[in-house]
Amino acid sequence: MPVCRTERAFSQSYTCRVRIVRIVAAATGLIAASVLLGVFAAAASASARVAPTPTQQWSGYAVTNPTGNAGGFTRVTATWKQPKATCRTGAGSAAFWVGLGGFTSDSNKIEQIGAASDCTSANKPKYYAWYDLPPNAGVILSLRVRPADVMTASVRMNASKTQVSLRIANTTTGMAYSTRLPVFSPDVTSAEWITEAPSECDQYGFCQSTPLADFGQVSFTKISAGTASYQGSITDPRWQSTAIELVPGTHTSRYFPEAAGAKATTSRAGAVPNGLTAAGNEFGVKWKADIEGSQPAPAPASPGTYVAGPRRP
């Protein structure tokens, strides 16, 4: 099991609990939704006009195709105030995270870290921080998270793409977790700021999307992404941005394909991004109780298909 460490003035360490969890996106049906523009203001205006792309589990923004940089994205960061989970209809989950990768149709890698506001089947809220590097099991961190705590998370890739640094800080309590881990052929083709309804999978790889817990709304602030030589925001003209709306029941075979036998959630709750600033460094995501999907389910994938999403037996 990995060792967690705090980053206060004194030295303290503790052990992370590992459970069979994959908080990663089955980010189905994502397509590029904005056109690369030549000036910053025009990029911001275009982002405001483009309707969000529907997916089954993500809501937020992703950026791709950094101009003139074949090395892809090397860092992503954001800050948010941890939303309170309103629990009244049983088990549900809402994960808030930043990450690199996992956006393209052939990707089976993502590097991400964040915090969750969940509901138990007994309608009790629970909060925790986590990171995930598929295909390894996700890791739940012994970092205290409570509603209204201010969280800052970041992912950074080294120049040789052999190590990733993950960090999440609870700036309200002054505690933080960070680690540096080896990676093999990581995906750095995208950067994301996401609210997610994860998937539950059994030991055989059969999965079902969880209901999205009622988190009310969340605001991502202090947003940035960067390449080896440049740092910018969502609306930066050096890359393309996609707004993403969580619509239950939306299915395609693209972007982390589902395993054979995977079932959609029975929940109707979704989430919609809003309020992206012209500077591209802040936006919100709002929970909605009733959103109806409109896309047909895909043909079942093969049993060997890679599956991302929380693995909660």
Side-chain angles (χ1 to χ4, degrees):
M1 291 185 293
V3 175
C4 302
R5 56 188 173 85
T6 61
E7 295 183 356
R8 279 189 162 185
F10 57 87
S11 176
Q12 180 180 352
S13 66
Y14 48 81
T15 301
C16 295
R17 294 184 295 109
V18 179
R19 61 191 254 208
I20 306 175
V21 174
R22 176 77 64 245
I23 304 185
V24 95
T28 56
L30 302 180
I31 59 173
S34 63
V35 179
L36 185 63
L37 301 175
V39 296
F40 184 89
S45 175
S47 296
R49 291 196 303 267
V50 174
T53 296
T55 75
Q56 182 168 257
Q57 291 177 273
W58 284 10
S59 183
Y61 279 86
V63 292
T64 55
N65 301 329
T67 302
N69 195 303
F73 292 94
T74 61
R75 56 194 183 274
V76 61
T77 187
T79 295
W80 66 89
K81 184 180 289 187
Q82 190 70 17
K84 178 181 179 180
T86 300
C87 302
R88 53 183 177 268
T89 57
S93 182
F96 313 94
W97 53 269
V98 300
L100 297 176
F103 188 78
T104 60
S105 59
D106 58 351
S107 175
N108 63 0
K109 299 286 183 68
I110 192 169
E111 305 85 43
Q112 59 179 174
I113 189 166
S117 297
D118 285 6
C119 292
T120 69
S121 58
N123 289 323
K124 300 293 184 182
K126 61 179 180 179
Y127 307 90
Y128 54 92
W130 53 271
Y131 74 78
D132 201 15
L133 297 177
N136 299 319
V139 177
I140 305 299
L141 308 178
S142 297
L143 177 70
R144 191 183 76 177
V145 179
R146 292 182 178 177
D149 284 354
V150 177
M151 312 299 296
T152 297
S154 64
V155 178
R156 297 179 67 93
M157 191 69 61
N158 68 348
S160 60
K161 302 178 189 174
T162 57
Q163 287 187 328
V164 64
S165 296
L166 305 167
R167 186 177 190 274
I168 187 165
N170 185 329
T171 60
T172 300
T173 64
M175 304 294 285
Y177 168 87
S178 64
T179 187
R180 182 179 296 174
L181 298 170
V183 290
F184 177 74
S185 298
D187 185 355
V188 292
T189 60
S190 61
E192 301 93 16
W193 305 263
I194 298 295
T195 295
E196 181 189 352
S199 290
E200 294 184 351
C201 303
D202 62 21
Q203 64 267 37
Y204 304 107
F206 293 97
C207 304
Q208 182 169 11
S209 299
T210 62
L212 180 65
D214 182 356
F215 62 89
Q217 59 186 1
V218 64
S219 293
F220 289 90
T221 64
K222 301 179 181 178
I223 289 168
S224 71
T227 65
S229 58
Y230 183 80
Q231 183 167 312
S233 69
I234 292 173
T235 55
D236 197 286
R238 289 168 177 80
W239 39 71
Q240 295 174 303
S241 66
T242 303
I244 307 163
E245 178 179 357
L246 194 162
V247 180
T250 297
H251 288 280
T252 75
S253 59
R254 292 170 58 82
Y255 304 97
F256 282 110
E258 299 174 16
K263 297 183 294 183
T265 180
T266 57
S267 170
R268 295 285 295 273
V272 181
N274 59 73
L276 179 65
T277 61
N281 58 1
E282 183 174 344
F283 71 91
V285 177
K286 185 170 179 150
W287 183 86
K288 294 187 70 173
D290 193 10
I291 296 180
E292 186 173 355
S294 59
Q295 297 190 26
S302 67
T305 299
Y306 177 83
V307 180
R311 297 178 179 246
R312 299 175 182 164

